[in-house]
Amino acid sequence: MTAQSFDTVLVVDFGAQYAQLIARRVREARVYSEIVPHTMPVAEMLKKQPTAIILSGGPSSVYADGAPHVDRRLFTADIPTFGICYGFQAMAQALGGEVARTGTSEYGGTPLNVVDRESVLFAGLPNELSVWMSHGDSVTVAPKGFTVAAMSEGAPVAAFENGRKRLAGVQFHPEVMHSQHGQKVLEHFLFEIAGCRPTWTMSNVIDEQVAAIRDKVGDKLAICGLSGGVDSAVAAALVQRAIGDQLTCVFVDHGLLRAGEPEQVEKDFVAATGVRLKVVDAERRFLDALTGVSDPEQKRKIIGREFIRVFEQAAAEVVAEAGAHGEQVEFLVQGTLYPDVVESGGGTGTANIKSHHNVGGLPDDLQFALVEPLRDLFKDEVRAVGVQLDLPDEIVWRHPFPGPGLGIRIIGEVTHDRLETLRAADAIAREELTRAGLDQDVWQFPVVLLADVRSVGVQGDGRTYGHPVVLRPVSSEDAMTADWSRLPYDVIAKISTRITNEVREVNRVTLDVTSKPPGTIEWE
Protein backbone atom coordinates (compact mmCIF):
# COMPACT_ATOMS: atom_id res chain seq x y z
CA MET A 1 0.00 0.00 0.00
CA THR A 2 1.35 3.42 -0.85
CA ALA A 3 1.05 6.19 1.69
CA GLN A 4 2.08 9.19 -0.39
CA SER A 5 -1.10 11.16 0.27
CA PHE A 6 -0.88 10.85 4.05
CA ASP A 7 1.74 10.69 6.78
CA THR A 8 3.49 7.42 7.60
CA VAL A 9 4.78 6.27 10.99
CA LEU A 10 7.26 3.39 11.04
CA VAL A 11 7.08 1.05 14.03
CA VAL A 12 10.48 -0.57 14.48
CA ASP A 13 9.92 -4.09 15.83
CA PHE A 14 12.42 -5.19 18.50
CA GLY A 15 10.57 -8.45 19.08
CA ALA A 16 7.84 -7.21 21.40
CA GLN A 17 4.53 -9.05 21.48
CA TYR A 18 2.82 -5.66 21.27
CA ALA A 19 4.59 -4.21 18.20
CA GLN A 20 1.48 -4.87 16.11
CA LEU A 21 -0.71 -3.27 18.76
CA ILE A 22 1.39 -0.10 18.61
CA ALA A 23 0.80 0.05 14.87
CA ARG A 24 -2.91 -0.50 15.47
CA ARG A 25 -3.12 2.33 18.02
CA VAL A 26 -1.38 4.71 15.62
CA ARG A 27 -3.99 3.89 13.00
CA GLU A 28 -6.75 4.51 15.53
CA ALA A 29 -5.39 8.06 15.63
CA ARG A 30 -5.98 8.18 11.84
CA VAL A 31 -2.27 8.07 11.02
CA TYR A 32 -0.95 5.34 8.72
CA SER A 33 1.58 2.99 10.33
CA GLU A 34 3.83 0.26 9.05
CA ILE A 35 5.95 -2.27 10.95
CA VAL A 36 9.59 -2.76 9.96
CA PRO A 37 12.23 -5.07 11.51
CA HIS A 38 14.95 -3.62 13.73
CA THR A 39 17.46 -5.13 11.30
CA MET A 40 16.41 -2.71 8.55
CA PRO A 41 19.25 -0.20 7.91
CA VAL A 42 18.48 3.40 8.75
CA ALA A 43 18.97 4.37 5.10
CA GLU A 44 16.21 1.92 4.08
CA MET A 45 13.88 3.34 6.73
CA LEU A 46 14.48 6.86 5.49
CA LYS A 47 13.68 5.83 1.91
CA LYS A 48 10.12 5.24 3.12
CA GLN A 49 9.97 8.96 3.97
CA PRO A 50 8.42 8.48 7.41
CA THR A 51 6.86 11.40 9.23
CA ALA A 52 7.84 9.76 12.53
CA ILE A 53 9.38 6.58 13.93
CA ILE A 54 8.37 4.56 16.99
CA LEU A 55 10.79 2.11 18.60
CA SER A 56 8.87 -0.82 20.09
CA GLY A 57 9.49 -2.83 23.21
CA GLY A 58 11.42 -6.09 23.20
CA PRO A 59 12.44 -9.02 25.43
CA SER A 60 16.17 -8.28 25.59
CA SER A 61 18.38 -6.32 27.96
CA VAL A 62 20.29 -3.55 26.19
CA TYR A 63 23.47 -4.93 27.76
CA ALA A 64 22.93 -8.56 26.76
CA ASP A 65 25.21 -10.12 24.15
CA GLY A 66 23.62 -9.83 20.74
CA ALA A 67 20.91 -7.47 21.94
CA PRO A 68 19.53 -5.26 19.15
CA HIS A 69 20.72 -1.68 19.24
CA VAL A 70 19.56 1.56 17.66
CA ASP A 71 21.83 3.05 15.04
CA ARG A 72 22.69 6.51 16.36
CA ARG A 73 22.37 7.89 12.83
CA LEU A 74 18.62 7.53 13.22
CA PHE A 75 18.66 10.46 15.66
CA THR A 76 20.57 12.75 13.29
CA ALA A 77 18.06 12.32 10.46
CA ASP A 78 15.65 14.95 11.85
CA ILE A 79 12.83 12.39 12.10
CA PRO A 80 10.66 12.65 15.26
CA THR A 81 11.22 9.43 17.23
CA PHE A 82 9.39 7.88 20.18
CA GLY A 83 10.83 5.02 22.24
CA ILE A 84 8.65 2.55 24.16
CA CYS A 85 9.99 0.17 26.86
CA TYR A 86 13.06 -1.52 25.31
CA GLY A 87 13.00 1.05 22.53
CA PHE A 88 13.09 3.75 25.20
CA GLN A 89 16.14 2.17 26.86
CA ALA A 90 17.95 1.58 23.56
CA MET A 91 17.24 5.19 22.61
CA ALA A 92 18.60 6.47 25.92
CA GLN A 93 21.74 4.37 25.60
CA ALA A 94 22.41 5.46 21.99
CA LEU A 95 22.07 9.13 22.95
CA GLY A 96 24.46 8.96 25.91
CA GLY A 97 22.07 8.31 28.76
CA GLU A 98 22.52 5.54 31.32
CA VAL A 99 20.61 2.26 31.64
CA ALA A 100 21.09 -0.01 34.63
CA ARG A 101 19.44 -2.75 36.68
CA THR A 102 18.15 -0.88 39.72
CA GLY A 103 17.06 -3.98 41.61
CA THR A 104 13.40 -2.99 41.34
CA SER A 105 11.58 -4.62 38.46
CA GLU A 106 8.10 -3.52 37.50
CA TYR A 107 5.48 -5.70 35.84
CA GLY A 108 1.81 -4.97 35.31
CA GLY A 109 -0.09 -2.00 36.69
CA THR A 110 2.33 0.53 38.17
CA PRO A 111 1.85 4.04 39.64
CA LEU A 112 3.50 6.73 37.49
CA ASN A 113 4.25 10.23 38.73
CA VAL A 114 4.40 13.09 36.22
CA VAL A 115 7.21 15.36 37.45
CA ASP A 116 7.33 17.92 34.63
CA ARG A 117 4.09 19.85 34.27
CA GLU A 118 5.45 21.46 31.08
CA SER A 119 5.71 18.02 29.47
CA VAL A 120 4.17 17.72 26.03
CA LEU A 121 3.56 13.98 26.41
CA PHE A 122 1.48 14.42 29.58
CA ALA A 123 -0.13 17.79 28.83
CA GLY A 124 -3.56 18.02 30.43
CA LEU A 125 -3.29 14.61 32.13
CA PRO A 126 -3.37 13.86 35.89
CA ASN A 127 -0.16 14.04 37.94
CA GLU A 128 -0.53 10.36 38.85
CA LEU A 129 -1.40 7.59 36.42
CA SER A 130 -1.58 3.81 36.54
CA VAL A 131 0.42 2.44 33.62
CA TRP A 132 1.45 -1.00 32.35
CA MET A 133 5.13 -1.74 32.97
CA SER A 134 7.26 -4.73 31.97
CA HIS A 135 10.95 -4.14 32.69
CA GLY A 136 13.93 -5.18 34.79
CA ASP A 137 16.43 -2.58 33.53
CA SER A 138 15.70 1.13 33.90
CA VAL A 139 16.94 4.41 32.50
CA THR A 140 18.76 6.01 35.44
CA VAL A 141 20.13 9.12 33.70
CA ALA A 142 18.44 10.85 30.77
CA PRO A 143 20.57 11.85 27.76
CA LYS A 144 21.95 15.38 27.74
CA GLY A 145 19.34 17.91 26.61
CA PHE A 146 16.38 15.73 27.64
CA THR A 147 13.88 16.62 30.34
CA VAL A 148 12.68 13.91 32.70
CA ALA A 149 8.89 13.97 32.37
CA ALA A 150 7.83 11.12 34.68
CA MET A 151 9.18 8.57 37.13
CA SER A 152 8.06 5.50 39.05
CA GLU A 153 9.40 3.58 42.04
CA GLY A 154 11.50 1.30 39.85
CA ALA A 155 12.28 3.76 37.04
CA PRO A 156 14.02 7.02 38.01
CA VAL A 157 13.48 8.09 34.41
CA ALA A 158 10.14 6.68 33.26
CA ALA A 159 9.65 9.25 30.47
CA PHE A 160 11.76 11.91 28.82
CA GLU A 161 11.51 14.34 25.93
CA ASN A 162 13.55 16.82 23.93
CA GLY A 163 11.22 19.24 22.21
CA ARG A 164 13.91 20.90 20.10
CA LYS A 165 15.00 17.59 18.55
CA ARG A 166 11.45 16.16 18.57
CA LEU A 167 12.55 13.05 20.48
CA ALA A 168 10.69 11.42 23.36
CA GLY A 169 10.15 8.10 25.07
CA VAL A 170 8.40 6.24 27.89
CA GLN A 171 9.29 3.16 29.92
CA PHE A 172 5.69 1.95 30.09
CA HIS A 173 3.41 0.59 27.35
CA PRO A 174 0.96 3.34 26.28
CA GLU A 175 -0.48 1.04 23.62
CA VAL A 176 -2.14 -1.42 26.02
CA MET A 177 -5.58 -0.73 27.42
CA HIS A 178 -4.30 -1.09 31.00
CA SER A 179 -2.29 2.16 30.75
CA GLN A 180 -4.47 5.08 31.79
CA HIS A 181 -4.53 7.77 29.10
CA GLY A 182 -2.00 5.73 27.10
CA GLN A 183 -3.63 6.60 23.79
CA LYS A 184 -3.49 10.29 24.74
CA VAL A 185 0.24 10.03 25.45
CA LEU A 186 0.77 8.39 22.07
CA GLU A 187 -1.33 11.01 20.31
CA HIS A 188 0.56 13.83 22.03
CA PHE A 189 3.71 12.45 20.43
CA LEU A 190 2.06 11.97 17.04
CA PHE A 191 0.36 15.35 16.82
CA GLU A 192 2.20 17.75 19.15
CA ILE A 193 5.79 16.50 18.81
CA ALA A 194 5.89 14.82 15.39
CA GLY A 195 3.29 17.04 13.69
CA CYS A 196 1.43 14.14 12.07
CA ARG A 197 -1.87 14.85 10.35
CA PRO A 198 -4.89 12.67 11.25
CA THR A 199 -5.94 12.24 7.63
CA TRP A 200 -5.68 8.49 7.02
CA THR A 201 -9.18 7.14 6.35
CA MET A 202 -10.80 4.22 4.58
CA SER A 203 -11.59 6.57 1.69
CA ASN A 204 -7.83 7.05 1.34
CA VAL A 205 -7.38 3.29 1.25
CA ILE A 206 -10.02 2.80 -1.43
CA ASP A 207 -8.73 5.61 -3.65
CA GLU A 208 -5.10 4.50 -3.30
CA GLN A 209 -5.89 0.84 -3.94
CA VAL A 210 -8.18 1.44 -6.91
CA ALA A 211 -5.43 3.48 -8.58
CA ALA A 212 -2.75 0.91 -7.70
CA ILE A 213 -4.86 -2.02 -8.96
CA ARG A 214 -5.61 -0.29 -12.27
CA ASP A 215 -1.94 0.50 -12.71
CA LYS A 216 -0.86 -3.08 -11.93
CA VAL A 217 -3.52 -5.04 -13.82
CA GLY A 218 -3.95 -2.75 -16.82
CA ASP A 219 -6.18 -4.41 -19.41
CA LYS A 220 -5.37 -7.97 -18.30
CA LEU A 221 -7.76 -10.44 -16.67
CA ALA A 222 -7.90 -11.28 -12.96
CA ILE A 223 -9.43 -14.07 -10.95
CA CYS A 224 -10.43 -13.92 -7.28
CA GLY A 225 -10.93 -16.76 -4.86
CA LEU A 226 -14.18 -15.96 -3.12
CA SER A 227 -14.77 -17.76 0.16
CA GLY A 228 -17.82 -15.81 1.27
CA GLY A 229 -15.95 -14.28 4.19
CA VAL A 230 -15.49 -10.56 4.66
CA ASP A 231 -11.83 -10.54 3.59
CA SER A 232 -12.23 -12.07 0.14
CA ALA A 233 -15.56 -10.27 -0.38
CA VAL A 234 -14.08 -6.84 0.32
CA ALA A 235 -10.98 -7.62 -1.75
CA ALA A 236 -13.18 -8.71 -4.66
CA ALA A 237 -15.45 -5.66 -4.39
CA LEU A 238 -12.43 -3.36 -4.29
CA VAL A 239 -10.83 -4.95 -7.33
CA GLN A 240 -14.12 -4.96 -9.20
CA ARG A 241 -14.42 -1.23 -8.59
CA ALA A 242 -10.99 -0.85 -10.16
CA ILE A 243 -11.23 -3.15 -13.22
CA GLY A 244 -14.91 -4.11 -13.59
CA ASP A 245 -15.63 -7.10 -15.85
CA GLN A 246 -11.95 -7.95 -16.12
CA LEU A 247 -12.49 -9.72 -12.78
CA THR A 248 -14.10 -13.13 -12.39
CA CYS A 249 -14.67 -14.53 -8.91
CA VAL A 250 -14.22 -18.25 -8.42
CA PHE A 251 -15.99 -19.87 -5.52
CA VAL A 252 -14.35 -23.18 -4.68
CA ASP A 253 -16.71 -25.44 -2.78
CA HIS A 254 -14.00 -27.56 -1.21
CA GLY A 255 -16.30 -29.29 1.24
CA LEU A 256 -14.62 -27.57 4.20
CA LEU A 257 -17.25 -24.86 4.66
CA ARG A 258 -19.85 -24.45 7.38
CA ALA A 259 -23.50 -25.32 6.90
CA GLY A 260 -25.30 -23.00 4.47
CA GLU A 261 -22.22 -21.10 3.33
CA PRO A 262 -22.18 -22.12 -0.36
CA GLU A 263 -25.73 -20.82 -0.72
CA GLN A 264 -24.86 -17.64 1.19
CA VAL A 265 -22.09 -16.73 -1.24
CA GLU A 266 -24.41 -16.70 -4.24
CA LYS A 267 -27.34 -15.12 -2.41
CA ASP A 268 -25.57 -12.31 -0.56
CA PHE A 269 -22.46 -11.40 -2.48
CA VAL A 270 -23.61 -11.86 -6.06
CA ALA A 271 -26.87 -10.09 -5.32
CA ALA A 272 -25.01 -7.17 -3.74
CA THR A 273 -22.31 -6.70 -6.37
CA GLY A 274 -23.46 -8.39 -9.57
CA VAL A 275 -19.96 -9.81 -9.89
CA ARG A 276 -19.29 -12.60 -12.39
CA LEU A 277 -19.10 -15.82 -10.36
CA LYS A 278 -17.86 -19.26 -11.32
CA VAL A 279 -18.58 -22.13 -8.90
CA VAL A 280 -16.23 -25.12 -8.76
CA ASP A 281 -17.25 -28.31 -6.94
CA ALA A 282 -13.94 -29.67 -5.63
CA GLU A 283 -14.91 -31.46 -2.41
CA ARG A 284 -13.73 -34.88 -3.54
CA ARG A 285 -10.40 -33.48 -4.72
CA PHE A 286 -9.65 -31.82 -1.38
CA LEU A 287 -10.71 -34.78 0.74
CA ASP A 288 -8.60 -37.15 -1.35
CA ALA A 289 -5.57 -34.88 -0.92
CA LEU A 290 -6.13 -34.71 2.85
CA THR A 291 -6.53 -38.48 3.33
CA GLY A 292 -4.29 -39.72 6.14
CA VAL A 293 -2.99 -36.22 7.00
CA SER A 294 -3.19 -35.05 10.62
CA ASP A 295 -0.35 -32.51 10.90
CA PRO A 296 -1.89 -29.00 10.92
CA GLU A 297 0.89 -27.32 8.91
CA GLN A 298 0.73 -30.04 6.29
CA LYS A 299 -3.04 -29.67 6.09
CA ARG A 300 -2.72 -25.91 5.57
CA LYS A 301 -0.15 -26.34 2.82
CA ILE A 302 -2.17 -29.05 1.06
CA ILE A 303 -5.31 -26.92 1.12
CA GLY A 304 -3.35 -23.90 -0.14
CA ARG A 305 -1.77 -25.96 -2.92
CA GLU A 306 -5.08 -27.44 -4.04
CA PHE A 307 -6.70 -24.00 -4.06
CA ILE A 308 -4.08 -22.75 -6.48
CA ARG A 309 -4.40 -25.80 -8.73
CA VAL A 310 -8.17 -25.36 -8.87
CA PHE A 311 -7.69 -21.68 -9.66
CA GLU A 312 -5.33 -22.53 -12.49
CA GLN A 313 -7.92 -24.82 -14.03
CA ALA A 314 -10.70 -22.29 -13.47
CA ALA A 315 -8.59 -19.53 -15.01
CA ALA A 316 -8.24 -21.48 -18.24
CA GLU A 317 -12.01 -21.99 -18.32
CA VAL A 318 -12.63 -18.29 -17.63
CA VAL A 319 -10.45 -17.35 -20.60
CA ALA A 320 -12.20 -19.82 -22.87
CA GLU A 321 -15.66 -18.73 -21.76
CA ALA A 322 -14.76 -15.09 -22.33
CA GLY A 323 -13.62 -15.88 -25.84
CA ALA A 324 -10.27 -14.25 -25.09
CA HIS A 325 -8.29 -16.40 -27.52
CA GLY A 326 -4.64 -16.71 -26.60
CA GLU A 327 -5.03 -14.64 -23.44
CA GLN A 328 -4.24 -15.75 -19.90
CA VAL A 329 -5.53 -14.80 -16.50
CA GLU A 330 -2.40 -13.20 -15.08
CA PHE A 331 -3.57 -12.01 -11.65
CA LEU A 332 -4.93 -13.71 -8.56
CA VAL A 333 -6.80 -11.53 -6.04
CA GLN A 334 -6.55 -12.58 -2.39
CA GLY A 335 -7.98 -11.20 0.84
CA THR A 336 -4.69 -11.39 2.76
CA LEU A 337 -4.70 -9.22 5.91
CA TYR A 338 -1.90 -7.71 7.98
CA PRO A 339 -2.24 -10.24 10.84
CA ASP A 340 -1.90 -13.04 8.26
CA VAL A 341 1.37 -11.54 7.07
CA VAL A 342 2.69 -10.89 10.58
CA GLU A 343 1.86 -14.35 11.92
CA SER A 344 3.47 -15.96 8.89
CA GLY A 345 6.72 -14.18 9.71
CA GLY A 346 6.43 -11.75 6.81
CA GLY A 347 7.78 -8.24 6.91
CA THR A 348 8.64 -7.91 10.60
CA GLY A 349 11.65 -10.10 11.21
CA THR A 350 9.67 -12.00 13.85
CA ALA A 351 9.06 -15.70 14.24
CA ASN A 352 6.66 -17.70 12.10
CA ILE A 353 3.65 -18.51 14.30
CA LYS A 354 1.76 -20.39 11.61
CA SER A 355 1.65 -20.49 7.85
CA HIS A 356 -1.43 -18.81 6.44
CA HIS A 357 -3.43 -20.14 3.52
CA ASN A 358 -2.75 -16.91 1.60
CA VAL A 359 0.84 -16.44 2.76
CA GLY A 360 2.81 -19.51 3.82
CA GLY A 361 0.76 -22.10 1.97
CA LEU A 362 1.27 -20.93 -1.61
CA PRO A 363 3.29 -23.17 -3.94
CA ASP A 364 6.63 -22.00 -5.32
CA ASP A 365 5.46 -22.45 -8.92
CA LEU A 366 2.49 -20.11 -8.58
CA GLN A 367 1.35 -19.11 -12.08
CA PHE A 368 -0.35 -15.87 -11.06
CA ALA A 369 0.86 -12.48 -9.95
CA LEU A 370 -0.85 -11.63 -6.68
CA VAL A 371 -3.13 -8.67 -6.05
CA GLU A 372 -3.62 -8.20 -2.30
CA PRO A 373 -5.39 -4.89 -1.71
CA LEU A 374 -5.98 -5.56 2.02
CA ARG A 375 -2.50 -6.77 2.89
CA ASP A 376 -1.75 -3.81 5.18
CA LEU A 377 -5.11 -3.71 6.97
CA PHE A 378 -6.45 -5.11 10.22
CA LYS A 379 -9.84 -6.83 10.26
CA ASP A 380 -11.84 -3.88 11.62
CA GLU A 381 -10.31 -1.67 8.93
CA VAL A 382 -11.41 -4.19 6.30
CA ARG A 383 -14.95 -4.00 7.66
CA ALA A 384 -14.80 -0.20 7.40
CA VAL A 385 -13.75 -0.52 3.74
CA GLY A 386 -16.66 -2.90 3.19
CA VAL A 387 -19.08 -0.33 4.60
CA GLN A 388 -17.58 2.32 2.30
CA LEU A 389 -18.11 -0.06 -0.64
CA ASP A 390 -21.80 -0.51 0.35
CA LEU A 391 -21.54 -4.25 0.97
CA PRO A 392 -24.48 -5.67 2.98
CA ASP A 393 -24.17 -6.09 6.75
CA GLU A 394 -24.50 -9.87 6.41
CA ILE A 395 -21.10 -9.88 4.69
CA VAL A 396 -19.36 -7.00 6.45
CA TRP A 397 -20.13 -8.24 9.98
CA ARG A 398 -19.78 -11.94 9.38
CA HIS A 399 -17.47 -13.66 11.86
CA PRO A 400 -13.96 -14.32 10.50
CA PHE A 401 -13.45 -17.76 9.01
CA PRO A 402 -10.03 -19.24 8.16
CA GLY A 403 -9.05 -19.87 4.55
CA PRO A 404 -8.49 -23.60 5.17
CA GLY A 405 -12.02 -23.76 6.58
CA LEU A 406 -13.09 -26.59 8.85
CA GLY A 407 -9.96 -28.47 7.83
CA ILE A 408 -8.07 -26.79 10.67
CA ARG A 409 -10.93 -27.09 13.15
CA ILE A 410 -10.71 -30.87 13.07
CA ILE A 411 -7.85 -32.09 15.24
CA GLY A 412 -6.75 -35.13 13.28
CA GLU A 413 -7.48 -36.46 9.82
CA VAL A 414 -10.19 -34.68 7.82
CA THR A 415 -12.93 -37.00 6.56
CA HIS A 416 -16.43 -36.51 5.17
CA ASP A 417 -18.08 -37.95 8.30
CA ARG A 418 -16.00 -35.80 10.64
CA LEU A 419 -16.85 -32.69 8.61
CA GLU A 420 -20.55 -33.49 8.85
CA THR A 421 -20.23 -33.89 12.62
CA LEU A 422 -18.42 -30.59 13.01
CA ARG A 423 -20.80 -28.79 10.65
CA ALA A 424 -23.77 -29.88 12.74
CA ALA A 425 -22.17 -28.78 16.02
CA ASP A 426 -20.99 -25.47 14.54
CA ALA A 427 -24.45 -24.68 13.16
CA ILE A 428 -26.01 -25.16 16.60
CA ALA A 429 -23.45 -22.87 18.26
CA ARG A 430 -24.02 -20.14 15.68
CA GLU A 431 -27.80 -20.44 15.86
CA GLU A 432 -27.84 -20.05 19.64
CA LEU A 433 -25.40 -17.12 19.57
CA THR A 434 -27.63 -15.34 17.06
CA ARG A 435 -30.77 -16.20 19.04
CA ALA A 436 -29.16 -14.61 22.13
CA GLY A 437 -28.34 -11.43 20.16
CA LEU A 438 -24.61 -11.81 20.79
CA ASP A 439 -23.23 -11.98 17.24
CA GLN A 440 -21.50 -8.58 17.36
CA ASP A 441 -20.31 -9.09 20.95
CA VAL A 442 -18.13 -11.99 19.82
CA TRP A 443 -15.27 -11.53 17.37
CA GLN A 444 -15.09 -15.16 16.31
CA PHE A 445 -16.61 -18.43 17.47
CA PRO A 446 -14.62 -21.47 16.29
CA VAL A 447 -16.04 -24.86 17.19
CA VAL A 448 -13.30 -27.49 17.25
CA LEU A 449 -13.75 -31.24 16.86
CA LEU A 450 -11.19 -33.34 18.74
CA ALA A 451 -11.41 -36.14 16.22
CA ASP A 452 -8.41 -38.05 17.58
CA VAL A 453 -9.81 -37.99 21.12
CA ARG A 454 -12.67 -40.01 22.56
CA SER A 455 -14.28 -39.70 25.94
CA VAL A 456 -16.62 -41.96 27.92
CA GLY A 457 -20.18 -40.75 28.31
CA VAL A 458 -23.67 -41.96 29.03
CA GLN A 459 -26.58 -41.26 26.70
CA GLY A 460 -29.94 -43.02 26.81
CA ASP A 461 -28.85 -45.11 29.80
CA GLY A 462 -26.04 -46.55 27.72
CA ARG A 463 -22.28 -46.10 27.68
CA THR A 464 -20.93 -44.00 24.79
CA TYR A 465 -17.44 -43.42 23.51
CA GLY A 466 -17.79 -40.23 21.52
CA HIS A 467 -15.79 -37.20 20.51
CA PRO A 468 -15.45 -33.96 22.48
CA VAL A 469 -15.96 -30.57 20.83
CA VAL A 470 -14.46 -27.32 22.05
CA LEU A 471 -16.28 -23.99 22.02
CA ARG A 472 -13.84 -21.12 21.40
CA PRO A 473 -15.72 -17.78 21.57
CA VAL A 474 -13.24 -14.89 21.55
CA SER A 475 -13.36 -11.11 21.77
CA SER A 476 -10.81 -8.99 19.91
CA GLU A 477 -10.25 -5.77 18.02
CA ASP A 478 -7.88 -6.94 15.33
CA ALA A 479 -7.00 -10.63 15.97
CA MET A 480 -3.47 -9.74 17.09
CA THR A 481 -4.56 -10.15 20.70
CA ALA A 482 -7.78 -11.74 21.97
CA ASP A 483 -9.57 -12.84 25.11
CA TRP A 484 -12.19 -15.52 25.58
CA SER A 485 -15.72 -14.17 25.53
CA ARG A 486 -17.67 -14.39 28.79
CA LEU A 487 -20.87 -15.73 27.28
CA PRO A 488 -23.85 -16.11 29.64
CA TYR A 489 -23.89 -19.54 31.24
CA ASP A 490 -27.41 -20.22 30.02
CA VAL A 491 -26.30 -19.69 26.40
CA ILE A 492 -23.33 -22.05 26.84
CA ALA A 493 -25.59 -24.59 28.54
CA LYS A 494 -28.12 -24.42 25.69
CA ILE A 495 -25.41 -24.93 23.09
CA SER A 496 -23.94 -27.87 25.01
CA THR A 497 -27.32 -29.53 25.55
CA ARG A 498 -28.34 -29.21 21.92
CA ILE A 499 -25.01 -30.49 20.58
CA THR A 500 -24.95 -33.57 22.79
CA ASN A 501 -28.63 -34.24 22.09
CA GLU A 502 -28.61 -33.61 18.35
CA VAL A 503 -25.11 -34.61 17.19
CA ARG A 504 -24.86 -38.33 17.78
CA GLU A 505 -21.05 -38.57 17.54
CA VAL A 506 -20.43 -35.93 20.25
CA ASN A 507 -20.86 -36.70 23.95
CA ARG A 508 -18.87 -33.90 25.57
CA VAL A 509 -18.68 -30.10 25.09
CA THR A 510 -15.84 -28.04 26.58
CA LEU A 511 -15.09 -24.31 26.72
CA ASP A 512 -11.68 -22.85 25.79
CA VAL A 513 -10.81 -20.00 28.21
CA THR A 514 -7.32 -19.21 26.86
CA SER A 515 -6.39 -15.69 25.82
CA LYS A 516 -4.13 -14.75 22.87
CA PRO A 517 -1.28 -14.74 23.70
CA PRO A 518 -0.41 -17.42 24.74
CA GLY A 519 -2.89 -19.30 22.56
CA THR A 520 -3.90 -18.50 19.00
CA ILE A 521 -7.57 -18.09 18.07
CA GLU A 522 -7.63 -21.23 15.95
CA TRP A 523 -6.40 -24.50 17.42
CA GLU A 524 -4.34 -25.41 14.37
Side-chain angles (χ1 to χ4, degrees), residues 8 43 133 181 242 340 357 374 396 405 449 465 513:
T8 298
M133 291 279 198
H181 302 292
D340 302 334
H357 168 62
L374 312 178
V396 172
L449 175 65
Y465 199 47
V513 295

Side-chain angles (χ1 to χ4, degrees), residues 200-215:
W200 191 70
T201 68
M202 293 306 104
S203 295
N204 294 138
V205 173
I206 292 172
D207 292 343
E208 292 272 338
Q209 280 303 312
V210 165
I213 293 164
R214 286 174 178 164
D215 182 63

Side-chain angles (χ1 to χ4, degrees), residues 63 88-89 92-93 97-103 136-143 148 151 154-158 160 171:
Y63 294 115
F88 171 65
Q89 295 175 6
Q93 185 184 58
E98 295 182 12
V99 180
R101 186 169 294 276
T102 63
D137 296 339
S138 299
V139 177
T140 54
V141 179
V148 177
M151 60 188 301
V157 182
F160 59 43
Q171 180 62 66

Side-chain angles (χ1 to χ4, degrees), residues 26 92 166 172 202 242 251 253 263 350 360 384 455 510 523:
V26 173
R166 299 187 296 171
F172 61 93
M202 293 306 104
F251 172 58
D253 187 354
E263 297 80 9
T350 56
S455 66
T510 65
W523 272 48

Side-chain angles (χ1 to χ4, degrees), residues 245-306:
D245 288 343
Q246 292 168 240
L247 172 69
T248 297
C249 288
V250 173
F251 172 58
V252 177
D253 187 354
H254 50 22
L256 305 174
L257 296 172
R258 296 178 293 190
E261 288 184 317
E263 297 80 9
Q264 187 182 59
V265 170
E266 296 193 57
K267 179 175 69 72
D268 290 338
F269 187 73
V270 176
T273 64
V275 73
R276 180 184 298 143
L277 179 67
K278 182 179 182 63
V279 178
V280 181
D281 182 357
E283 177 179 1
R284 189 70 265 160
R285 174 175 182 153
F286 277 81
L287 289 182
D288 287 347
L290 290 167
T291 298
V293 178
S294 296
D295 179 74
E297 282 296 284
Q298 191 177 356
K299 284 195 286 188
R300 285 178 178 271
K301 290 183 182 297
I302 287 172
I303 294 169
R305 181 195 69 208
E306 293 304 313

